[in-house]
Amino acid sequence: MDKGTVQDLKFYSEALQEELQLYIYVPANYSPLYKYNILIASDGKDYFQIGGITKLADELIDDYEIENLIIAFVPYKDIKDRRHKYIPSGEQHEAYLRFLAHELVPYLDAEYATYQMGMSRGVIGDSMAATASLMAALKYPSIFGKVILQSPYVDEDVLTAVENFKDPGSISIYHIVGKEEDKVVTMDKTIKDFLTPNRQLHNLMLNKGFSTFYEEFDGNHTWKYWKPDLRRALIENFN
């Protein structure tokens, strides 16, 4: 099996007014003669290092289980940076969403042979990174048509955004959460119930008419469960 390449680059964001470290996975079969889907991962270093998603993509593309796929990884700098950018009340949240939609996507479309359609672009995240991914698609549904949510952080701002969303048919949702996530120890050492708000989110999406895949797995808020789920998540969204 041929391995794709991972490009390491510095990217200056006008929206965020800062330089970001990005990683771009390009599959071994890349050719400008073909078109490629895009997946953008917030918590990018985690998906790259812990999730092992590039190795998985190599395998699934090689076995024709998913279509051609380029993955862009956007790491966070620290816990504070993550909170500021990923959750709706964060002071850089809107700027981060603008960066994803109006800077990173145009860059990827210019550099690579992409389909340049909403349903050919996905966003993925775990926990707060999942929140950012969902909010990006709700704000820019014509740009991001697929959302992969692994145990998202859900608060009233998220539920309100979903409730107010006018075009649920424009995006598809893949959504998992653990049955043991009723007492999650967060990065700032507080204990939060993730399970109940995720169930609220799912029920709201059903009532609104979203196209959604939902599952509650036997486990908690860790990569032990998110990593093995990635195979199905990629196949469900990019087969």
Side-chain angles (χ1 to χ4, degrees):
M1 180 179 67
D2 292 331
K3 290 184 179 179
T5 58
V6 177
Q7 300 166 1
D8 182 341
L9 64 103
K10 303 280 190 186
F11 188 99
Y12 186 80
S13 166
E14 291 291 342
L16 291 164
Q17 291 290 295
E18 67 178 270
E19 188 174 72
L20 300 170
Q21 185 82 39
L22 302 179
Y23 305 97
I24 313 291
Y25 162 82
V26 180
N29 72 353
Y30 181 78
S31 164
L33 300 176
Y34 302 103
K35 297 290 187 185
Y36 291 76
N37 295 281
I38 289 173
L39 180 63
I40 297 175
S42 296
D43 270 7
K45 191 172 281 188
D46 295 344
Y47 275 94
F48 179 51
Q49 293 183 339
I50 306 173
I53 198 172
T54 58
K55 182 179 178 183
L56 176 61
D58 283 338
E59 177 191 329
L60 295 177
I61 291 170
D62 194 62
D63 291 342
Y64 299 99
E65 290 192 70
I66 63 170
E67 295 178 347
N68 293 334
L69 182 66
I70 290 168
I71 307 173
F73 301 93
V74 187
Y76 60 90
K77 293 176 180 174
D78 52 38
I79 295 171
K80 187 175 167 184
D81 183 63
R82 188 173 185 253
R83 191 182 300 112
H84 283 176
K85 289 173 180 169
Y86 288 0
I87 63 173
S89 59
E91 58 192 51
Q92 289 184 293
H93 179 70
E94 291 296 325
Y96 182 71
L97 301 189
R98 284 199 305 277
F99 153 70
L100 293 178
H102 293 313
E103 295 180 336
L104 183 53
V105 166
Y107 171 80
L108 295 170
D109 284 346
E111 289 291 313
Y112 306 101
T114 60
Y115 281 111
Q116 304 192 13
M117 300 181 298
M119 289 311 292
S120 69
R121 298 191 195 101
V123 278
I124 186 172
D126 64 292
S127 196
M128 286 184 183
T131 312
S133 298
L134 175 59
M135 297 300 288
L138 294 175
K139 190 169 182 67
Y140 303 107
S142 63
I143 296 176
F144 303 114
K146 298 177 187 292
V147 187
I148 300 173
L149 306 175
Q150 295 187 300
S151 304
Y153 167 83
V154 179
D155 60 14
E156 286 303 318
D157 291 331
V158 173
L159 294 172
T160 299
V162 173
E163 180 65 55
N164 293 336
F165 188 62
K166 298 290 191 269
D167 189 15
S170 62
I171 58 178
S172 69
I173 308 289
Y174 178 98
H175 181 190
I176 64 161
V177 68
K179 294 175 184 174
E180 297 171 21
E181 293 194 53
D182 53 340
K183 291 178 183 171
V184 173
V185 180
T186 63
M187 287 177 118
D188 59 5
K189 304 305 179 190
T190 59
I191 295 176
K192 283 190 166 58
D193 176 5
F194 272 64
L195 181 56
T196 303
N198 269 272
R199 285 172 172 169
Q200 288 178 277
L201 175 62
H202 174 58
N203 288 330
L204 180 57
M205 286 179 169
L206 287 180
N207 291 336
K208 291 280 292 183
F210 282 84
S211 170
T212 182
F213 172 95
Y214 178 75
E215 184 176 274
E216 294 181 5
F217 58 85
D218 292 317
N220 56 20
H221 196 77
T222 64
W223 275 100
K224 176 182 177 181
Y225 302 99
W226 298 329
K227 180 177 180 176
D229 176 69
L230 287 174
R231 175 180 296 272
R232 182 181 62 187
L234 292 184
I235 292 172
E236 285 278 335
N237 284 276
F238 296 105
N239 65 358

